[in-house]
Coordinates of all heavy atoms in Angstrom, one line a residue:
M139 N -10.2 14.7 -12.8 CA -8.8 15.1 -12.7 C -8.4 15.1 -11.3 O -8.9 15.8 -10.5 CB -8.7 16.5 -13.3 CG -9.2 16.7 -14.7 SD -8.5 15.5 -15.8 CE -9.7 15.6 -17.1
T140 N -7.5 14.2 -11.0 CA -7.1 14.0 -9.6 C -5.6 14.4 -9.5 O -4.8 14.0 -10.3 CB -7.3 12.5 -9.2 OG1 -8.6 12.2 -9.5 CG2 -7.1 12.4 -7.7
W141 N -5.3 15.1 -8.5 CA -3.9 15.5 -8.2 C -3.6 15.0 -6.8 O -4.4 15.1 -5.9 CB -3.8 17.0 -8.3 CG -4.0 17.6 -9.7 CD1 -5.2 17.8 -10.3 CD2 -3.0 17.9 -10.6 NE1 -5.0 18.2 -11.5 CE2 -3.7 18.4 -11.8 CE3 -1.6 18.0 -10.5 CZ2 -3.0 18.8 -12.9 CZ3 -0.9 18.4 -11.7 CH2 -1.6 18.8 -12.8
L142 N -2.3 14.5 -6.7 CA -1.8 14.1 -5.4 C -0.9 15.3 -4.9 O -0.1 15.8 -5.6 CB -1.0 12.9 -5.6 CG -0.1 12.4 -4.4 CD1 -1.0 11.9 -3.3 CD2 0.9 11.4 -4.8
V143 N -1.2 15.6 -3.6 CA -0.3 16.6 -2.9 C 0.5 15.8 -1.9 O 0.0 15.2 -1.1 CB -1.1 17.7 -2.3 CG1 -0.1 18.7 -1.6 CG2 -1.9 18.4 -3.3
A144 N 1.9 15.8 -2.1 CA 2.7 15.0 -1.2 C 3.8 15.9 -0.7 O 4.5 16.6 -1.4 CB 3.3 13.8 -2.0
E145 N 4.0 15.8 0.6 CA 5.1 16.5 1.2 C 6.3 15.5 1.3 O 6.2 14.4 1.8 CB 4.8 16.9 2.7 CG 4.0 18.1 2.8 CD 3.9 18.7 4.2 OE1 4.9 18.6 4.9 OE2 2.8 19.1 4.6
T146 N 7.4 15.9 0.7 CA 8.6 15.1 0.6 C 9.6 15.4 1.7 O 10.5 14.7 2.0 CB 9.2 15.1 -0.7 OG1 9.5 16.5 -1.1 CG2 8.3 14.5 -1.8
S147 N 9.5 16.6 2.3 CA 10.3 17.0 3.4 C 9.5 18.1 4.1 O 8.4 18.5 3.7 CB 11.7 17.5 2.9 OG 11.6 18.8 2.4
E148 N 10.1 18.6 5.2 CA 9.5 19.6 6.0 C 9.2 20.9 5.2 O 8.3 21.6 5.5 CB 10.4 19.9 7.2 CG 9.7 20.7 8.3 CD 10.6 20.9 9.5 OE1 11.6 20.2 9.6 OE2 10.3 21.9 10.3
H149 N 10.0 21.1 4.1 CA 9.9 22.4 3.4 C 9.6 22.2 2.0 O 9.7 23.1 1.2 CB 11.2 23.1 3.6 CG 11.6 23.5 5.0 ND1 10.9 24.4 5.7 CD2 12.5 23.0 5.8 CE1 11.4 24.4 7.0 NE2 12.4 23.6 7.0
T150 N 9.2 21.0 1.6 CA 9.0 20.7 0.1 C 7.8 19.9 0.0 O 7.6 18.9 0.7 CB 10.2 20.0 -0.5 OG1 11.4 20.6 -0.1 CG2 10.1 19.9 -2.0
A151 N 6.9 20.3 -1.0 CA 5.7 19.6 -1.3 C 5.6 19.5 -2.8 O 6.1 20.4 -3.6 CB 4.5 20.2 -0.7
H152 N 4.9 18.5 -3.3 CA 4.7 18.3 -4.7 C 3.3 18.1 -5.0 O 2.5 17.5 -4.3 CB 5.4 17.0 -5.2 CG 6.9 17.0 -5.1 ND1 7.8 17.1 -6.2 CD2 7.7 17.0 -4.0 CE1 9.0 17.1 -5.7 NE2 9.0 17.0 -4.4
T153 N 2.8 18.7 -6.1 CA 1.5 18.4 -6.6 C 1.7 17.6 -7.9 O 2.4 18.0 -8.8 CB 0.6 19.6 -6.9 OG1 1.3 20.4 -7.9 CG2 0.4 20.4 -5.7
V154 N 1.2 16.4 -7.9 CA 1.5 15.4 -9.0 C 0.2 14.9 -9.6 O -0.7 14.5 -8.9 CB 2.3 14.2 -8.4 CG1 2.6 13.2 -9.5 CG2 3.5 14.7 -7.7
P155 N 0.0 14.9 -10.9 CA -1.2 14.4 -11.5 C -1.2 12.9 -11.4 O -0.2 12.2 -11.7 CB -1.1 14.8 -13.0 CG 0.4 15.1 -13.2 CD 1.0 15.5 -11.9
L156 N -2.3 12.3 -10.9 CA -2.5 10.9 -10.8 C -2.9 10.3 -12.1 O -3.6 11.0 -12.9 CB -3.5 10.5 -9.7 CG -3.0 10.9 -8.3 CD1 -4.2 10.6 -7.3 CD2 -1.8 10.2 -7.9
D157 N -2.7 9.1 -12.4 CA -3.1 8.4 -13.6 C -2.6 9.1 -14.9 O -3.3 9.2 -15.9 CB -4.6 8.3 -13.7 CG -5.1 7.5 -12.5 OD1 -4.5 6.5 -12.1 OD2 -6.2 7.9 -12.0
D158 N -1.4 9.7 -14.8 CA -0.8 10.4 -15.9 C -0.2 9.3 -16.8 O -0.1 8.1 -16.5 CB 0.2 11.4 -15.5 CG 0.5 12.4 -16.6 OD1 -0.3 12.5 -17.5 OD2 1.5 13.1 -16.4
L159 N 0.3 9.8 -18.0 CA 0.9 8.9 -19.0 C 2.3 8.4 -18.5 O 2.8 7.4 -19.0 CB 1.0 9.6 -20.3 CG -0.3 10.1 -20.9 CD1 0.0 10.9 -22.2 CD2 -1.2 9.0 -21.2
I160 N 2.9 9.1 -17.6 CA 4.2 8.7 -17.0 C 4.1 8.6 -15.5 O 3.1 9.1 -14.9 CB 5.3 9.7 -17.4 CG1 5.0 11.1 -16.8 CG2 5.5 9.8 -18.9 CD1 6.1 12.1 -16.8
V161 N 5.1 8.0 -14.9 CA 5.1 8.0 -13.5 C 6.1 9.1 -13.1 O 7.2 9.2 -13.5 CB 5.7 6.6 -13.0 CG1 5.9 6.6 -11.5 CG2 4.8 5.5 -13.4
H162 N 5.5 10.0 -12.2 CA 6.3 11.1 -11.8 C 7.2 10.8 -10.6 O 6.7 10.1 -9.7 CB 5.4 12.3 -11.4 CG 4.7 12.8 -12.6 ND1 5.1 14.0 -13.2 CD2 3.6 12.4 -13.2 CE1 4.3 14.2 -14.2 NE2 3.3 13.3 -14.3
E163 N 8.4 11.3 -10.6 CA 9.3 11.2 -9.5 C 9.0 12.4 -8.6 O 8.8 13.5 -9.0 CB 10.7 11.4 -9.9 CG 11.5 10.1 -10.1 CD 13.0 10.4 -10.4 OE1 13.7 10.6 -9.5 OE2 13.3 10.5 -11.6
L164 N 9.0 12.1 -7.3 CA 8.8 13.2 -6.3 C 10.1 13.9 -6.1 O 10.7 13.9 -5.0 CB 8.2 12.7 -5.0 CG 6.7 12.2 -5.2 CD1 6.2 11.7 -3.8 CD2 5.8 13.3 -5.7
A165 N 10.6 14.5 -7.1 CA 11.9 15.2 -7.1 C 11.9 16.3 -8.2 O 11.1 16.2 -9.2 CB 13.0 14.2 -7.3
Q166 N 12.7 17.3 -8.0 CA 12.8 18.3 -9.1 C 13.4 17.7 -10.3 O 13.2 18.3 -11.4 CB 13.7 19.4 -8.5 CG 13.5 20.7 -9.4 CD 14.3 21.9 -8.8 OE1 14.8 21.8 -7.7 NE2 14.5 22.9 -9.6
A167 N 14.0 16.6 -10.3 CA 14.6 16.0 -11.5 C 13.6 15.2 -12.3 O 13.9 14.6 -13.3 CB 15.7 15.0 -11.1
C168 N 12.3 15.3 -11.9 CA 11.3 14.6 -12.6 C 11.2 15.0 -14.1 O 11.5 16.1 -14.4 CB 9.9 14.9 -12.0 SG 8.5 14.0 -12.8
V169 N 10.9 14.1 -15.0 CA 11.0 14.4 -16.4 C 10.1 15.5 -16.9 O 10.2 16.1 -17.9 CB 10.7 13.1 -17.3 CG1 11.8 12.1 -17.0 CG2 9.4 12.5 -16.9
C170 N 9.0 15.8 -16.1 CA 8.1 16.8 -16.5 C 8.6 18.2 -16.2 O 8.0 19.2 -16.6 CB 6.7 16.6 -15.9 SG 6.7 17.1 -14.1
G171 N 9.7 18.3 -15.5 CA 10.4 19.6 -15.2 C 9.6 20.5 -14.3 O 9.4 21.7 -14.6
P172 N 9.3 20.0 -13.1 CA 8.5 20.9 -12.2 C 9.4 22.0 -11.7 O 10.6 21.8 -11.4 CB 8.2 20.0 -11.0 CG 9.2 18.9 -11.1 CD 9.5 18.7 -12.5
Q173 N 8.9 23.2 -11.5 CA 9.6 24.4 -11.0 C 9.2 24.7 -9.6 O 8.0 24.8 -9.3 CB 9.4 25.6 -11.9 CG 10.0 25.5 -13.3 CD 11.5 25.3 -13.2 OE1 12.2 26.1 -12.6 NE2 12.0 24.3 -14.0
P174 N 10.1 24.8 -8.7 CA 9.7 25.1 -7.3 C 9.3 26.6 -7.2 O 9.8 27.5 -7.7 CB 11.0 24.9 -6.5 CG 12.1 25.0 -7.5 CD 11.6 24.6 -8.8
V175 N 8.1 26.7 -6.4 CA 7.5 28.0 -6.2 C 7.4 28.2 -4.7 O 6.9 27.3 -4.0 CB 6.1 28.1 -6.8 CG1 5.5 29.4 -6.5 CG2 6.2 27.9 -8.4
P176 N 7.9 29.3 -4.2 CA 7.8 29.5 -2.8 C 6.4 29.8 -2.3 O 5.7 30.6 -3.0 CB 8.7 30.7 -2.5 CG 8.8 31.5 -3.8 CD 8.6 30.4 -4.9
V177 N 6.0 29.2 -1.3 CA 4.6 29.3 -0.8 C 4.7 29.7 0.7 O 5.3 28.9 1.5 CB 3.8 28.0 -0.9 CG1 2.4 28.2 -0.3 CG2 3.7 27.7 -2.4
A178 N 4.1 30.8 1.1 CA 4.1 31.2 2.5 C 3.0 30.4 3.2 O 1.9 30.3 2.8 CB 3.8 32.7 2.6
R179 N 3.4 29.8 4.4 CA 2.5 29.1 5.2 C 1.9 30.0 6.3 O 2.4 31.1 6.5 CB 3.2 27.8 5.8 CG 3.5 26.8 4.7 CD 3.9 25.5 5.2 NE 5.2 25.5 5.8 CZ 6.0 24.4 5.9 NH1 5.5 23.3 5.5 NH2 7.2 24.5 6.5
G180 N 0.9 29.5 6.9 CA 0.2 30.3 7.9 C 1.1 30.7 9.1 O 0.9 31.7 9.7
D181 N 2.1 29.9 9.4 CA 3.0 30.2 10.5 C 4.1 31.1 10.2 O 5.0 31.4 11.0 CB 3.5 28.9 11.2 CG 4.4 28.1 10.2 OD1 4.6 28.6 9.1 OD2 4.8 27.0 10.6
G182 N 4.1 31.6 8.9 CA 5.1 32.6 8.5 C 6.3 32.0 7.8 O 7.1 32.7 7.3
S183 N 6.4 30.6 7.9 CA 7.5 30.0 7.2 C 7.2 29.8 5.7 O 6.1 30.0 5.3 CB 7.8 28.6 7.8 OG 6.7 27.8 7.6
V184 N 8.2 29.5 5.0 CA 8.0 29.4 3.5 C 8.4 28.0 3.1 O 9.4 27.4 3.6 CB 8.9 30.4 2.7 CG1 8.9 30.1 1.2 CG2 8.5 31.8 3.0
C185 N 7.5 27.3 2.3 CA 7.9 26.0 1.8 C 7.9 26.1 0.3 O 7.5 27.1 -0.3 CB 7.0 24.9 2.2 SG 5.3 25.1 1.6
W186 N 8.5 25.1 -0.3 CA 8.6 25.1 -1.8 C 7.6 24.1 -2.4 O 7.5 22.9 -1.9 CB 10.0 24.7 -2.2 CG 11.0 25.7 -1.8 CD1 11.7 25.7 -0.6 CD2 11.4 26.8 -2.6 NE1 12.5 26.9 -0.6 CE2 12.3 27.5 -1.8 CE3 11.0 27.4 -3.8 CZ2 12.9 28.8 -2.2 CZ3 11.6 28.5 -4.2 CH2 12.5 29.2 -3.5
L187 N 6.8 24.6 -3.3 CA 5.8 23.7 -3.9 C 6.3 23.5 -5.4 O 6.5 24.4 -6.1 CB 4.4 24.4 -3.9 CG 3.3 23.6 -4.6 CD1 3.0 22.4 -3.8 CD2 2.1 24.5 -4.7
L188 N 6.4 22.2 -5.7 CA 6.8 21.8 -7.1 C 5.5 21.3 -7.8 O 5.0 20.3 -7.4 CB 7.8 20.8 -7.0 CG 9.3 21.3 -6.7 CD1 9.5 21.2 -5.2 CD2 10.3 20.5 -7.4
S189 N 5.0 22.1 -8.7 CA 3.9 21.7 -9.5 C 4.3 20.9 -10.7 O 4.9 21.4 -11.6 CB 3.1 22.9 -9.9 OG 2.6 23.6 -8.8
H190 N 4.0 19.6 -10.7 CA 4.3 18.8 -11.8 C 3.4 19.0 -13.0 O 2.2 19.4 -12.7 CB 4.3 17.3 -11.4 CG 5.4 16.9 -10.5 ND1 6.4 16.0 -10.8 CD2 5.7 17.3 -9.2 CE1 7.2 15.9 -9.8 NE2 6.8 16.7 -8.8
H191 N 3.8 18.7 -14.2 CA 3.0 19.0 -15.4 C 2.5 17.6 -15.9 O 3.3 16.7 -16.1 CB 3.8 19.7 -16.4 CG 4.5 20.9 -15.9 ND1 3.8 22.1 -15.7 CD2 5.8 21.2 -15.5 CE1 4.6 23.0 -15.2 NE2 5.8 22.5 -15.1
S192 N 1.2 17.5 -16.1 CA 0.7 16.3 -16.6 C 1.0 16.2 -18.1 O 1.0 17.2 -18.8 CB -0.8 16.2 -16.4 OG -1.5 17.2 -17.2
L193 N 1.3 15.0 -18.6 CA 1.6 14.9 -20.0 C 0.4 14.6 -20.8 O 0.5 14.5 -22.0 CB 2.7 13.7 -20.2 CG 4.0 14.0 -19.6 CD1 5.0 13.0 -20.1 CD2 4.5 15.4 -19.9
D194 N -0.7 14.4 -20.2 CA -2.0 14.2 -20.9 C -2.7 15.6 -21.1 O -3.8 15.6 -21.7 CB -2.9 13.2 -20.3 CG -3.3 13.6 -18.9 OD1 -3.1 14.7 -18.5 OD2 -3.9 12.7 -18.2
G195 N -2.1 16.7 -20.7 CA -2.7 18.0 -21.0 C -3.9 18.4 -20.2 O -4.7 19.2 -20.7
R196 N -4.1 17.8 -19.0 CA -5.3 18.1 -18.3 C -5.4 19.5 -17.8 O -6.5 20.1 -17.7 CB -5.5 17.1 -17.1 CG -4.5 17.4 -16.0 CD -4.6 16.3 -15.0 NE -4.2 14.9 -15.4 CZ -4.2 13.9 -14.8 NH1 -4.7 13.9 -13.5 NH2 -3.8 12.7 -15.2
E197 N -4.2 20.2 -17.6 CA -4.3 21.6 -17.2 C -5.0 22.4 -18.3 O -5.8 23.3 -17.9 CB -2.9 22.1 -17.0 CG -2.2 21.6 -15.8 CD -1.2 20.5 -16.3 OE1 -1.4 19.9 -17.3 OE2 -0.2 20.3 -15.5
R198 N -4.7 22.2 -19.5 CA -5.3 23.0 -20.6 C -6.9 22.8 -20.6 O -7.6 23.7 -20.8 CB -4.8 22.6 -21.9 CG -3.3 23.1 -22.1 CD -2.9 23.0 -23.6 NE -2.8 21.6 -24.0 CZ -1.7 20.9 -23.8 NH1 -0.7 21.3 -23.1 NH2 -1.7 19.7 -24.2
R199 N -7.3 21.5 -20.3 CA -8.8 21.3 -20.3 C -9.4 22.0 -19.1 O -10.6 22.3 -19.2 CB -9.0 19.8 -20.3 CG -8.7 19.1 -21.6 CD -9.4 17.8 -21.7 NE -9.0 16.9 -20.7 CZ -8.0 16.0 -20.8 NH1 -7.3 16.0 -21.9 NH2 -7.7 15.2 -19.8
E200 N -8.7 22.2 -18.0 CA -9.3 22.8 -16.9 C -9.4 24.3 -17.0 O -10.1 24.9 -16.2 CB -8.5 22.4 -15.6 CG -8.7 21.0 -15.2 CD -7.7 20.6 -14.0 OE1 -6.9 21.4 -13.6 OE2 -7.9 19.4 -13.5
V201 N -8.7 24.9 -17.9 CA -8.7 26.3 -18.0 C -10.1 26.7 -18.7 O -10.5 26.1 -19.7 CB -7.6 26.8 -18.9 CG1 -7.8 28.3 -19.3 CG2 -6.3 26.6 -18.3
S202 N -10.8 27.6 -18.0 CA -12.1 28.0 -18.5 C -12.0 29.0 -19.6 O -11.0 29.7 -19.7 CB -13.0 28.4 -17.4 OG -12.4 29.5 -16.7
Ligands
LIG428 ZN1 6.6 15.2 -12.7

């Protein structure tokens, strides 16, 4: 299970499943409906992390 972490701007990053059934857009408008979550960084600033959802259900298999 491979995930890509991509920064699309200074304050926005995406985690995107690689080799998924669809091609994800690095945008909140992606068809999988990623929701931005605020993440505090070490320097005290906050960035937005958009966790994309894989359409092959790999998250469910990773849950123990
Ligand atoms: Zn997506």
